[in-house]
Amino acid sequence: MLLKVTLKFSIYCVIILFCGCTAGEKPQTELELQHFKDSVSEARIDSAYAIIKSHCDTLMVHLVPQMVDSFLKDSALLQNYFDTNFVYSDTDKKVEKVIRQLQADCDSSLQKETYRRALLHPKAKRVQRKK
């Protein structure tokens, strides 16, 4: 008899706990899900922006002088720095588009800085020696 009462009591407790725990949950609306996806995308874009900006600044300091030297020797050598086979792809097309644009902006600024420095580079002048 005591076993039946204990068994019934424990079953009712489990049912009440289950109903109590799941009653507070409400299904997320489509707007809330979209907001969550957007916040995740924004966080990914922000972190990618920080990484690409840091990488671009490093390239600006270390790679641009090499690119200027290559450009002054032969302008076709400069294309080797920009011919990369890496193309970023992602399942989230919005993130992919923004990251590709950030990479293109970095390449463009590197190219502009290289041309600017090449134009400002002092050209070697011929000195005539006295005989």
Side-chain angles (χ1 to χ4, degrees), residues 3-94:
L3 181 63
K4 288 182 181 180
V5 171
T6 307
L7 200 57
K8 287 180 183 179
F9 178 73
S10 58
I11 290 174
Y12 287 133
C13 286
V14 168
I15 291 172
I16 290 172
L17 283 174
F18 180 74
C19 292
C21 291
T22 58
E25 294 180 10
K26 58 180 179 180
Q28 292 184 338
T29 63
E30 187 66 33
L31 184 63
E32 290 173 341
L33 288 174
Q34 186 63 36
H35 179 68
F36 176 74
K37 289 178 183 178
D38 287 344
S39 65
V40 169
S41 296
E42 288 173 10
R44 291 179 63 206
I45 289 170
D46 289 343
S47 65
Y49 174 77
I51 291 170
I52 290 172
K53 179 156 176 41
S54 172
H55 182 69
C56 193
D57 291 343
T58 302
L59 290 177
M60 194 70 76
V61 171
H62 299 290
L63 188 64
V64 169
Q66 294 173 1
M67 290 168 40
V68 169
D69 291 339
S70 296
F71 179 72
L72 292 175
K73 291 177 187 173
D74 184 14
S75 62
L77 294 175
L78 189 62
Q79 208 51 32
N80 291 335
Y81 293 105
F82 297 107
D83 287 340
T84 58
N85 293 332
F86 177 73
V87 176
Y88 183 80
S89 61
D90 196 335
T91 56
D92 188 355
K93 296 302 176 189
K94 181 171 100 175

Side-chain angles (χ1 to χ4, degrees), residues 56 60 64 82 104-114:
C56 193
M60 194 70 76
V64 169
F82 297 107
D105 290 345
C106 178
D107 286 346
S108 174
S109 65
L110 286 173
Q111 220 169 13
K112 286 178 186 176
E113 183 65 18
T114 301

